[in-house]
């Protein structure tokens, strides 16, 4: 039985909502796969260190050629142990095998979870002083769940915007400042460019 602290669960939930992938292993178990580009190796190692009870061994350096652009992509991967707890989370976040935003998202959100999610999928535009949280290929309904959850939990009023690949939550200037106040103490120094100065 793996025991995770409140902090570890917050980082895990943020990772699952962001770039993490829960891979099914058997009937009731799953494992967490982390993949980050070459420049974000330090960030991957931070996640592995923070989620120590789940991980063993060392991350792997990999390269792949993009099928369309033919550019070489260099990245680091680490996979956790397979556990029933991650299997349970997979049934919540991947109910039909595809990543979903759960209806009860609020239950999984706190400032640290939001910070990790934002470090994974957030973006700050210096020119316009606004920010986005990219949700990827989710439905409009799921996007609305995110917007409503952020408003209820943190009083951050984002707006849902349609993008080429799914949806993003847009934060105008005032809401970007609120977002910064909620997550700034958890943002790692190498991601400070994602926050307004």
């Amino acid at each position: 039985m793996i025991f995770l602290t409140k902090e570890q669960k917050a980082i895990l939930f943020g990772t699952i909502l962001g770039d993490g992938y829960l891979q099914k292993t058997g009937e009731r178990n799953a494992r967490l796969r982390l993949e980050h580009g070459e420049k974000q190796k330090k960030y991957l190692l931070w996640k592995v260190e923070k989620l120590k009870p789940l991980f063993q061994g060392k991350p792997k350096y990999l390269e792949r050629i993009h099928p369309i652009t033919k550019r070489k992509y260099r990245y680091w991967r680490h996979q956790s142990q397979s556990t029933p707890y991650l299997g349970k989370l997979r049934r919540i976040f991947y109910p039909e095998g595809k990543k979903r935003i759960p209806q009860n998202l609020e239950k999984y959100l706190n400032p640290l979870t939001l910070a990790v999610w934002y470090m994974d999928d957030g973006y700050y535009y210096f020119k316009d002083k606004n920010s986005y949280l990219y949700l990827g290929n989710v439905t409009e309904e799921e996007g609305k769940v995110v917007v409503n959850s952020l408003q209820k939990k943190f009083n951050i009023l984002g707006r849902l915007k349609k993008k080429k690949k799914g949806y993003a939550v847009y934060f105008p200037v005032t809401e970007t400042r609120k977002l910064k106040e909620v997550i700034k103490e958890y943002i790692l120094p190498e991601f400070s460019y994602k926050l307004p100065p």
Side-chain angles (χ1 to χ4, degrees), residues 129-148:
K129 297 182 173 56
N130 58 35
S131 57
Y132 283 85
L133 179 63
Y134 288 92
L135 306 176
N137 204 3
V138 301
T139 63
E140 185 178 5
E141 195 54 47
E142 290 170 273
K144 286 175 181 172
V145 168
V146 177
V147 169
N148 293 336

Side-chain angles (χ1 to χ4, degrees), residues 61 82 91 112 127 129 169-170 194:
Y61 172 76
S82 177
R91 289 189 289 279
L112 176 53
K127 188 169 154 277
K129 297 182 173 56
V169 181
Y170 162 73
K194 289 193 175 196

